[in-house]
Amino acid sequence: MAYSARLDTVYNHYLTTYTPKTSQYDTHKKSELRRIYNSIVKLNKESPLYMLDTSRESREFVVELKEGARALHNTIASLGGLNEDEMLGKKAAFSSNENIVSAIYIGEDGPDGSVPSYDIEVTSLASNQVNVGSFLPSNGKTELEPDAYSFDVSVNGLSYEFQYNVREGETNRKLQERLARLISNADIGVSADLLEDGKGSSSLRLISASSGLNVNKDYIFQVSDDKTSKRSGTIDYLGLSYMYRAPSNAEFLLNGEPHSASSNHFTIDKTFEISLNGISDGPGDVAQIGLKTDLDSLTENVGSLTDGYNSFLDSATEYSESHPRSGKLLNEMEHICRNYQEGLEDLGFTLEEKGRLKMDEDTFRHSILADESHSRFSTIKDFTNSVLRKVDQISLDPMEYVDKKLVAYKNPAGHNLPAPYMTCTYSGMLFSSFC
């Protein structure tokens, strides 16, 4: 049980600290996992034995490096796929008015290759619930007597009890700050922060993570201490039951037909992922949603690839002084660019300092239009494939770029046994702060 609890602690810390956002590209088939495993076995079979720098700074660097590689891998995957034929081929959506509606294409082409377009007029946006407590003198001592208190927060049919102690001489602000952390860190779909009125008073504010109305309910969460296990009085004293803003649904016209949604983010016919950003100025003020041309889609995809590539380099550059071996990675990435430099320059790319790429969209468009043999498009695909192979290599062995001392080589006779678990060195760095 203790071992399981430690595992949970480590994984939760890893996910919340380094991977706050995951995507569909973070899930894998059994065949993909088997291929990764076989790659690890092959990688480590002839690998020498090293002594590694396992300082906290090294742990942060190597985890950041691995996560940066994962993010760039996912960026490439999201632009059409990882196969040669699909790479950079994702179609992009357009909106005639981004201030009202933005869209992402998530569907597949119809039998004739056509995709319907939509007109959207937004009459109201979905809102979340906000409760604002009473404003109390920040430096004034709380009027709650020192004791153990508790209160309940009900969200989506589930009730969560929060317990805390009021300390002798505690100020209102200290109490509010403590409760704000207690509620927010619980991750129950309600966050809390403090408001100030500019007159020396502060209030505790509760905000729901979700928006919209539930069936037969005009609220998303409720707070009470009527039937709590410890002493009551928290809700009345802090005024947390006051609903400052009630939740509401988004209301809009889709091709002239009225619709509503509990969120400002939804999908239409499994074709477009829609985000409502603002309200139409009046009747007839619509945003048209459809697909960009193939050239526009390709330009956007290559622009996203460039941004992801530069972001990965920037992340590695931050550690260039504290981890000199990160320079090895930067040199390898720059070498990839140098291999394709002539072809990339013909497409409108400029190789900048530290291997970063700058893309001129107009030159790129003209180059693609004039590329009757498709050789220039092959160049950007080949470059993308090379970057993909490198980030996959980094994901398998991020320890390659950590300071280390060689201890012993493997048997040069070539009779070495597979060592699939040598990557535990990386995993162990995550656990060392917890176990």
Side-chain angles (χ1 to χ4, degrees), residues 366-395:
H366 293 148
S367 298
I368 292 298
L369 287 174
D371 184 22
E372 296 182 357
S373 64
H374 303 290
S375 59
R376 293 176 181 174
F377 183 48
S378 297
T379 297
I380 192 64
K381 275 196 171 185
D382 292 341
F383 168 74
T384 305
N385 264 320
S386 295
V387 171
L388 181 63
R389 287 194 295 270
K390 173 53 65 175
V391 296
D392 286 347
Q393 176 188 330
I394 295 168
S395 294

Side-chain angles (χ1 to χ4, degrees), residues 185-202:
N185 292 339
D187 194 23
I188 62 172
V190 177
S191 61
D193 61 8
L194 264 63
L195 293 177
E196 297 180 349
D197 63 358
K199 301 177 181 178
S201 296
S202 55

Side-chain angles (χ1 to χ4, degrees), residues 118-181:
Y118 301 90
D119 291 335
I120 301 178
E121 178 184 326
V122 183
T123 54
S124 66
L125 296 175
S127 63
N128 51 6
Q129 179 181 338
V130 178
N131 283 24
V132 176
S134 305
F135 281 90
L136 303 173
S138 297
N139 296 324
K141 293 184 178 180
T142 178
E143 296 179 8
L144 293 173
E145 297 180 3
D147 202 349
Y149 291 79
S150 62
F151 60 94
D152 299 321
V153 180
S154 299
V155 186
N156 296 325
L158 298 175
S159 183
Y160 303 88
E161 183 179 83
F162 293 88
Q163 299 181 3
Y164 69 99
N165 293 319
V166 173
R167 301 160 183 168
E168 185 71 38
E170 188 169 24
T171 64
N172 289 317
R173 185 177 182 85
K174 289 294 184 182
L175 176 62
Q176 291 167 338
E177 288 176 344
R178 195 148 53 90
L179 293 181
R181 291 193 298 270

Side-chain angles (χ1 to χ4, degrees), residues 85-388:
D85 295 337
E86 301 173 346
M87 187 171 287
L88 301 176
K90 176 186 176 184
K91 292 190 175 181
F94 78 87
S95 170
S96 61
N97 192 338
E98 293 277 351
N99 293 326
I100 299 177
V101 181
S102 56
I104 299 175
Y105 180 63
I106 58 173
E108 299 179 356
D109 297 348
D112 57 354
S114 63
V115 175
S117 60
Y118 301 90
D119 291 335
I120 301 178
E121 178 184 326
V122 183
T123 54
S124 66
L125 296 175
S127 63
N128 51 6
Q129 179 181 338
V130 178
N131 283 24
V132 176
S134 305
F135 281 90
L136 303 173
S138 297
N139 296 324
K141 293 184 178 180
T142 178
E143 296 179 8
L144 293 173
E145 297 180 3
D147 202 349
Y149 291 79
S150 62
F151 60 94
D152 299 321
V153 180
S154 299
V155 186
N156 296 325
L158 298 175
S159 183
Y160 303 88
E161 183 179 83
F162 293 88
Q163 299 181 3
Y164 69 99
N165 293 319
V166 173
R167 301 160 183 168
E168 185 71 38
E170 188 169 24
T171 64
N172 289 317
R173 185 177 182 85
K174 289 294 184 182
L175 176 62
Q176 291 167 338
E177 288 176 344
R178 195 148 53 90
L179 293 181
R181 291 193 298 270
L182 182 66
I183 295 171
S184 296
N185 292 339
D187 194 23
I188 62 172
V190 177
S191 61
D193 61 8
L194 264 63
L195 293 177
E196 297 180 349
D197 63 358
K199 301 177 181 178
S201 296
S202 55
S203 167
L204 186 61
R205 177 173 61 177
L206 306 182
I207 306 171
S208 66
S210 60
S211 59
L213 295 171
N214 294 320
V215 179
N216 299 324
K217 291 183 180 179
D218 58 357
Y219 62 88
I220 295 176
F221 67 88
Q222 285 184 317
V223 290
S224 67
D225 57 6
D226 297 335
K227 298 179 181 179
T228 194
S229 63
K230 303 295 182 181
R231 187 168 178 175
S232 61
T234 303
I235 304 304
D236 288 340
Y237 180 67
L238 296 178
L240 295 180
S241 61
Y242 172 63
M243 188 185 296
Y244 175 79
R245 183 178 70 193
S248 62
N249 289 336
E251 304 289 341
F252 57 95
L253 299 178
L254 181 62
N255 290 341
E257 297 294 327
H259 290 266
S260 66
S262 60
S263 172
N264 293 317
H265 307 280
F266 53 88
T267 61
I268 298 178
D269 296 335
K270 298 182 180 180
T271 304
F272 292 102
E273 183 177 304
I274 300 296
S275 295
L276 304 183
N277 304 321
I279 299 175
S280 300
D281 291 337
D285 182 20
V286 302
Q288 185 179 32
I289 303 300
L291 284 183
K292 293 182 178 180
T293 64
D294 290 343
L295 179 58
D296 287 337
S297 296
L298 177 60
T299 304
E300 182 174 314
N301 291 339
V302 175
S304 297
L305 169 67
T306 305
D307 292 341
Y309 175 83
N310 288 337
S311 178
F312 176 71
L313 286 186
D314 292 343
S315 178
T317 304
E318 291 179 4
Y319 294 90
S320 58
E321 293 185 3
S322 58
H323 291 277
R325 282 186 64 84
S326 65
K328 178 177 183 291
L329 169 63
L330 296 175
N331 290 335
E332 290 173 351
M333 300 302 291
E334 184 174 358
H335 182 70
I336 292 175
C337 286
R338 296 292 182 190
N339 285 340
Y340 300 97
Q341 184 172 1
E342 183 177 350
L344 291 175
E345 288 178 346
D346 290 341
L347 286 167
F349 287 92
T350 303
L351 184 59
E352 297 184 318
E353 186 180 0
K354 297 180 181 179
R356 297 180 96 258
L357 288 174
K358 183 178 180 181
M359 174 187 177
D360 186 305
E361 291 191 1
D362 290 336
T363 303
F364 179 82
R365 292 172 185 272
H366 293 148
S367 298
I368 292 298
L369 287 174
D371 184 22
E372 296 182 357
S373 64
H374 303 290
S375 59
R376 293 176 181 174
F377 183 48
S378 297
T379 297
I380 192 64
K381 275 196 171 185
D382 292 341
F383 168 74
T384 305
N385 264 320
S386 295
V387 171
L388 181 63

